[in-house]
């Protein structure tokens, strides 16, 4: 079942929220009901039985964490990276309001103390994006997982309601949504852990010195890496 609830912020994103106790995946639901959903509509599930990350990786979903997807029309951004960047910055800002200092791990992870606290899945369907967001709010049994999760609870020892996190995200996203590139791109670079690090992809190895306005990594030798899904960062956990 679902119901709409008002989170108290009259902004474009999340004016309508469909709330489910359980779904296989919020992004799958949006895809299957896209003709019934409008720009900015959010689909949220307390738990997902088949949550998805990039490259069909499984996203672990537990009750108390935040799992949602929203519809975003492509005409409002210049490219995929702008939407990923603004969503990333909104998550960073949202987490900061709960006293969690996080960073962006290119291309779509949000991390704190080398633990993954949030992730973004971006999919395009015709003239719309489906933006999936997962934020770990109450994760605590981290020894059960191989992917080094973190959460607001682990970082602050405070129990937070996932609806409050969604409300904070909506507020943060509305701030970044209207920003021009000369404002949001420097903030993205400032919050990225990849700049200054040695990175490795299938086709290149080198130190990343910048990120272009289209989201490409620029290496110190001038090589440009665009559209890279898998980036290994030297010194990051098990990456070499």
């Amino acid at each position: 079942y679902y119901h709409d609830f008002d989170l108290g912020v009259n902004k474009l994103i999340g004016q309508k929220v469909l709330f489910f106790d359980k779904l296989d995946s919020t992004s799958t639901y949006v895809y299957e009901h896209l003709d019934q959903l409008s720009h900015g509509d959010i689909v949220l599930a307390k738990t997902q039985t088949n949550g998805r990350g990039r490259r069909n990786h499984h996203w672990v979903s537990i009750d108390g964490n935040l799992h949602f997807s929203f519809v975003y029309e492509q005409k409002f951004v210049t490219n995929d990276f702008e939407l990923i960047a603004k969503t990333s910055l909104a998550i960073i800002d949202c987490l900061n309001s709960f006293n969690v200092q996080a960073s962006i791990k290119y291309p779509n992870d949000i991390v704190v103390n080398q633990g993954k606290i949030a992730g973004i899945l971006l999919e395009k369907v015709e003239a719309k994006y489906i933006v999936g967001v997962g934020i770990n709010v109450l994760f605590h049994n981290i020894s059960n997982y191989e992917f080094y999760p973190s959460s607001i609870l682990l970082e602050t020892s405070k129990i937070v309601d996932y609806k409050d996190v969604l409300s904070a995200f909506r507020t943060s996203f509305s701030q970044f949504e209207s920003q021009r590139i000369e404002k949001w791109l420097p903030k993205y670079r400032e919050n990225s852990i990849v700049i200054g690090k040695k990175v490795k992809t299938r086709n290149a190895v080198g130190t990343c010195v910048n990120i272009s306005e289209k989201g490409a990594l620029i290496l110190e030798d001038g090589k440009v890496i665009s559209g890279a899904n898998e980036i290994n960062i030297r010194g990051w956990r098990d990456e070499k």
Side-chain angles (χ1 to χ4, degrees):
Y1 73 95
Y2 73 83
H3 64 267
D4 300 351
F5 61 92
D6 181 7
L7 294 173
V9 185
N10 187 25
K11 298 295 183 183
L12 186 59
I13 290 296
Q15 284 187 323
K16 183 177 183 181
V17 179
L18 304 185
F19 178 95
F20 293 83
D21 273 345
K22 183 184 291 186
L23 287 175
D24 57 349
S25 158
T26 57
S27 288
T28 298
Y29 181 92
V30 172
Y31 176 80
E32 292 175 348
H33 299 82
L34 198 56
D35 59 339
Q36 303 166 35
L37 298 169
S38 302
H39 173 78
D41 287 352
I42 288 176
V43 172
L44 180 151
K46 290 181 69 176
T47 59
Q48 298 180 116
T49 57
N50 190 28
R52 293 184 290 118
R54 276 187 317 118
R55 298 165 64 241
N56 288 320
H57 285 171
H58 179 63
W59 181 271
V60 177
S61 304
I62 67 165
D63 193 359
N65 284 347
L66 178 60
H67 329 97
F68 68 96
S69 299
F70 63 91
V71 181
Y72 203 88
E73 293 192 18
Q74 291 187 35
K75 65 184 179 182
F76 294 124
V77 289
T78 56
N79 53 47
D80 298 1
F81 176 64
E82 180 180 352
L83 185 52
I84 291 174
K86 288 181 174 180
T87 304
S88 298
L89 287 168
I91 295 172
I92 294 287
D93 190 63
C94 161
L95 290 171
N96 189 54
S97 70
F98 295 98
N99 297 312
V100 175
Q101 306 297 317
S103 302
I104 301 165
K105 183 176 183 283
Y106 185 95
N108 73 329
D109 288 341
I110 308 300
V111 297
V112 56
N113 296 327
Q114 293 217 2
K116 182 172 179 177
I117 196 168
I120 302 164
L121 176 66
L122 191 72
E123 298 173 295
K124 280 196 282 192
V125 182
E126 297 174 356
K128 295 180 180 179
Y129 289 104
I130 301 172
V131 186
V133 176
I135 300 177
N136 294 334
V137 181
L138 297 183
F139 238 137
H140 58 281
N141 294 323
I142 60 174
S143 60
N144 295 339
Y145 303 98
E146 298 178 356
F147 58 92
Y148 307 112
S150 188
S151 68
I152 295 175
L153 175 60
L154 286 170
E155 297 301 326
T156 67
S157 300
K158 293 180 180 179
I159 295 176
V160 173
D161 191 313
Y162 67 90
K163 291 192 290 291
D164 293 334
V165 181
L166 178 62
S167 181
F169 171 83
R170 292 171 68 224
T171 300
S172 297
F173 189 87
S174 70
Q175 295 170 358
F176 289 104
E177 185 178 18
S178 59
Q179 286 186 4
R180 294 182 177 274
I181 190 168
E182 52 269 16
K183 192 165 185 180
W184 64 258
L185 184 56
K187 286 183 180 178
Y188 181 89
R189 290 167 173 162
E190 178 185 332
N191 283 281
S192 174
I193 64 165
V194 74
I195 295 177
K197 297 287 198 308
K198 188 169 184 179
V199 299
K200 180 171 69 173
T201 70
R202 287 183 177 180
N203 303 316
V205 177
T207 300
C208 177
V209 295
N210 209 347
I211 300 173
S212 78
E213 59 188 40
K214 292 184 179 180
L217 299 183
I218 301 171
L219 304 187
E220 61 183 347
D221 61 1
K223 189 172 291 184
V224 176
I225 303 173
S226 59
N229 274 327
E230 282 301 306
I231 301 288
N232 286 334
I233 301 174
R234 173 80 50 95
W236 179 267
R237 289 290 188 179
D238 299 330
E239 298 179 10
K240 298 178 180 179

